[in-house]
Amino acid sequence: MDRIPALAEIIARHVDGTGIYPTALPHVALIRADAPSTPTPAVYEASLCLIAQGSKRVSIGDQSVVYDAAHYLLVSVDLPLVGHVIDASPDRPYLCCKIDLDAAMLADLMVTEGGAVPRTDLPVLGVYPGDPDLIDAACRLVGLLDRPETIAALAPLIEREILYRLLTGPHGPMLRHVATAGSHLNQISRAIATIRRRFDAPLRIDEVAAEAGMSASSLHAHFKAITRLTPLEYQKQLRLQEARRLMLVGGATASTAGFAVGYESPSQFSREYRRLFGAPPRSDIERLHAAPAEAMAL
């Protein structure tokens, strides 16, 4: 039985207008867009994205993938991507369910389930044909929003089922590599987490490398191979995206937002903001207020 229409119906029932909607489910967000959007850079958390209606393109470097209701997107580690909705209209809006991957639950499940050997020759960003069992589990998870009193007891069980189906699916060997202590992907994942926690502070490569259990040179090499950015470029994207959020949602001025994310020079902030988003801060925020779908990250 095709569960995609049911997933679309649940998402549509719990969102109102264009945007990204956090939910009472700790690892789940719902997304809706009523029109195509322009390419927008954002850091995507390690997550599963299931589109129930419409389609989207995401890119990293020279790799570009499209996913829709017949294909799901899996991001194994937090990655700086450029994404845009390519199929959406008021009559048939883009509807998506994003489920963040719980690293602790994934590691525990690997110990319990055993199975396949980790592999490093699979992409950390991948699109795969829809799995009816995976979609059914996601539909049941999002369906808990209709019965909030059941979330605490049932959501962890269904999330565990979703992770199990990912581990036993085509992307499973790569997820195992990410979750295996001592692997380069696991180390880079820890480095990314460290940079994200302290993105507004000066970047100290030796400290990040030490927390990841790597040398500074090894960190640079593997970080660039996986994310297509250096650690400093990655931090810069985090800072600029948070500044954009502060201006768009919080009403901060460009200078206030720049200082809040760690910039000491307003001119440097404005220059680097324009380089990433294609317009100076004020013009960019005015454009986003006029067309909110353009601000969507997922």
Side-chain angles (χ1 to χ4, degrees), residues 100-116 118 134 137 155-169 172 175-177 179-180:
D100 293 338
L101 305 184
D102 185 318
M105 187 181 292
L106 181 63
D108 178 69
L109 189 58
M110 279 178 52
V111 172
T112 303
E113 191 266 335
L134 184 63
L157 301 178
I158 304 176
E159 281 189 50
R160 190 176 178 88
E161 176 187 347
I162 289 171
L163 289 177
Y164 170 80
R165 298 200 179 283
L166 292 176
L167 277 176
T168 55
L175 285 180
R176 291 176 185 278
H177 188 60
T180 299

Side-chain angles (χ1 to χ4, degrees), residues 46 76-79 102-108 110-111 118-120 124 173-195 197 208-214 218-219 222-223 226-227:
S76 299
V77 297
D78 297 359
L79 290 175
D102 185 318
M105 187 181 292
L106 181 63
D108 178 69
M110 279 178 52
V111 172
R119 285 172 54 188
T120 61
V124 291
M174 175 56 77
L175 285 180
R176 291 176 185 278
H177 188 60
V178 173
T180 299
S183 72
H184 289 316
L185 270 176
N186 182 272
Q187 291 171 317
I188 294 304
S189 184
R190 297 206 306 272
I192 287 172
T194 298
I195 295 172
R197 281 197 309 272
V208 175
E211 292 199 29
M214 309 176 79
S218 181
L219 171 69
H222 290 288
F223 199 101
I226 291 169
T227 69

Side-chain angles (χ1 to χ4, degrees), residues 23-209:
T23 72
L25 294 159
H27 298 124
V28 176
L30 304 179
I31 304 104
R32 172 179 172 141
D34 293 332
S37 62
T38 57
T40 303
V43 173
Y44 285 44
E45 293 85 0
S47 57
L48 165 69
C49 295
L50 291 165
I51 290 178
Q53 198 164 264
S55 60
K56 186 165 188 179
R57 181 187 302 277
V58 293
S59 305
I60 180 170
D62 58 0
Q63 179 189 0
S64 180
V65 296
V66 173
Y67 63 113
D68 53 21
H71 303 82
Y72 65 86
L73 174 75
L74 192 62
V75 184
S76 299
V77 297
D78 297 359
L79 290 175
L81 304 177
V82 176
H84 65 289
V85 174
I86 56 178
D87 180 16
S89 68
D91 293 334
R92 281 186 58 82
Y94 169 85
L95 300 171
C96 179
C97 166
K98 171 179 170 284
I99 304 172
D100 293 338
L101 305 184
D102 185 318
M105 187 181 292
L106 181 63
D108 178 69
L109 189 58
M110 279 178 52
V111 172
T112 303
E113 191 266 335
V117 176
R119 285 172 54 188
T120 61
D121 60 335
L122 296 172
V124 291
L125 170 71
V127 168
Y128 301 92
D131 176 347
D133 292 328
L134 184 63
I135 295 167
D136 177 68
C139 198
R140 285 184 279 113
L141 178 64
V142 179
L144 296 181
L145 294 173
D146 293 326
R147 295 165 292 157
E149 72 280 1
T150 68
I151 288 176
L154 297 182
L157 301 178
I158 304 176
E159 281 189 50
R160 190 176 178 88
E161 176 187 347
I162 289 171
L163 289 177
Y164 170 80
R165 298 200 179 283
L166 292 176
L167 277 176
T168 55
H171 203 73
M174 175 56 77
L175 285 180
R176 291 176 185 278
H177 188 60
V178 173
T180 299
S183 72
H184 289 316
L185 270 176
N186 182 272
Q187 291 171 317
I188 294 304
S189 184
R190 297 206 306 272
I192 287 172
T194 298
I195 295 172
R196 297 198 73 171
R197 281 197 309 272
R198 304 199 295 257
F199 73 91
D200 55 347
L203 183 65
R204 306 188 188 283
I205 291 296
D206 289 344
E207 292 180 6
V208 175

